[in-house]
Amino acid sequence: MKIANKIENAKEVLMLNGNQTIKIYKDHLRDFSEAQLRHISAEGTWSIGQMYLHLIEVAFEYLDNIEACAAANEEQKLGKTEAGENLYRRGGFPAIKIKLSDDPGNTPSNSKRKEELMQGLIQVEEKMEEWEGKADAINPNFKVKHGGFGWLNAREWFDLVDMHFRHHLRQKKELEEKLEN
C-alpha cells in the first residue's frame, strides 16, 4: 500500500515534515515506469512526471528566495497578504485544487527520466538540510515578495517548500489512481 494512501486526513498531512514528505515522493518514484511517469490521463491534466518536476522547480525557486533573504541588507517592513496570513495560520494550503494558467511557463516538461527526477528530489532534500538550521538565524525582516502571499522571510520561504510538497500529495494520489484504472 502506498504511503500517501495511508494519509487519510488533512491533520495527518500537516504533521509531516519536509524530510518525511520528500521521502514519500522518492519512495513512490521508484515504483513508476517511464511510461507511467509520462502518462496524461486527460486533457488539461499533468502527468505524474510533470507534477514531480513542478515540485522540484518550485522548491528551488523558494530555496533561492531563502538565499536572497540571507543576502539582503535592507529590512522590509511590509508583510504577508491576507492569503499569506491565512496560509501560515493554517500551516498549509487548503484542500482545494489550484489551477495555474495554461501558458507554457506553467507547464512542466513531460520528458524527464525517472533518474533526473530522483536527482532533483535529492538535490532539494540536500538544499533543505543545508538551510534548515540557518533559516531561523536570518533577520526576519529580510524578505522577498511572493506574488500571492506577500513579503516572506527566510523561515517562511523554507516552510513554504514543505507546504507545497504536502499540498500535492492529494494530486499525486489522484494521478496514481488514474494509472491503476
Side-chain angles (χ1 to χ4, degrees):
M1 174 179 269
K2 301 275 188 212
I3 294 171
N5 291 345
K6 293 180 186 177
I7 300 169
E8 296 298 327
N9 63 53
K11 284 185 181 179
E12 290 177 26
V13 170
L14 286 174
M15 291 171 48
L16 294 170
N17 69 37
N19 290 340
Q20 292 169 321
T21 309
I22 292 175
K23 183 178 181 343
I24 290 170
Y25 284 97
K26 285 171 48 182
D27 288 347
H28 290 204
L29 180 58
R30 290 179 180 98
D31 295 335
F32 297 120
S33 69
E34 296 292 335
Q36 288 173 318
L37 284 174
R38 290 189 180 89
H39 175 74
I40 296 177
S41 59
E43 188 175 329
T45 63
W46 287 349
S47 69
I48 291 173
Q50 286 176 294
M51 183 200 66
Y52 269 82
L53 185 57
H54 166 75
L55 287 166
I56 293 163
E57 290 174 342
V58 169
F60 278 118
E61 175 188 336
Y62 293 173
L63 290 162
D64 287 347
N65 287 332
I66 296 170
E67 207 163 313
C69 290
N73 54 19
E74 189 175 318
E75 292 191 359
Q76 174 56 254
K77 298 299 181 192
L78 296 175
K80 293 184 276 301
T81 61
E82 184 178 342
E85 290 292 345
N86 289 336
L87 176 76
Y88 284 89
R89 186 174 28 261
R90 191 174 31 256
F93 288 87
I96 59 170
K97 290 185 179 184
I98 299 170
K99 176 79 169 121
L100 299 175
S101 65
D102 287 332
D103 72 52
N106 287 336
T107 305
S109 168
N110 197 24
S111 64
K112 295 293 181 187
R113 293 183 346 269
K114 185 189 320 193
E115 295 79 20
E116 293 173 293
L117 296 172
M118 182 63 77
Q119 189 58 41
L121 289 173
I122 290 168
Q123 290 171 345
V124 168
E125 196 172 40
E126 289 170 349
K127 196 84 162 161
M128 287 188 74
E129 288 172 8
E130 175 188 333
W131 282 108
E132 187 168 20
K134 298 178 186 177
D136 289 329
I138 299 168
N139 181 334
N141 290 317
F142 290 168
K143 302 175 185 178
V144 173
K145 189 173 184 181
H146 181 282
F149 302 133
W151 291 92
L152 306 179
N153 63 37
R155 175 85 239 159
E156 292 163 335
W157 281 109
F158 185 87
D159 292 343
L160 190 58
V161 174
D162 183 48
M163 285 189 252
H164 188 243
F165 270 95
R166 285 186 281 125
H167 172 70
H168 280 277
L169 283 172
R170 192 177 66 256
Q171 178 188 19
K172 183 181 148 317
K173 182 179 176 182
E174 289 174 7
L175 291 171
E176 288 173 348
E177 287 170 353
K178 289 178 182 176
L179 279 178
E180 292 170 7
N181 293 335

